[in-house]
Amino acid sequence: MPGEIIVHLDVWLARRKIRSKELADRIGVSEQALSMIKTGKIKGVRFSTLIALCDALDCQPGDLFEFRRRTHGD
């Protein structure tokens, strides 16, 4: 595997003082779906969901997700 995506959604929830349930309601997804995004246990995110997340949290997509390249020792 060449790398991994790190999700920083918890950081932004804390910065904005928003609970997961409130964010899920705001963006129109279930709490379970939001939890799957937060833990990175998803295969993809729809652009409409990403737009809603960025709008609700007043951030950019790159604030929520980070690509981390694996080194040969990983």
Side-chain angles (χ1 to χ4, degrees), residues 3-53:
E4 62 184 326
I5 299 294
I6 308 301
V7 182
H8 298 292
L9 190 51
D10 279 338
V11 172
W12 282 89
L13 284 166
R15 283 183 181 175
R16 299 296 186 239
K17 296 183 172 115
I18 299 172
R19 293 181 183 264
S20 292
K21 180 178 179 8
E22 181 183 345
L23 181 60
D25 290 344
R26 278 192 198 182
I27 67 170
V29 301
S30 68
E31 287 182 73
Q32 182 180 3
L34 186 61
S35 177
M36 297 281 285
I37 295 169
K38 283 175 29 178
T39 58
K41 295 180 180 175
I42 55 169
K43 294 195 182 282
V45 178
R46 293 176 188 243
F47 277 147
S48 58
T49 302
L50 185 56
I51 290 167
L53 282 167

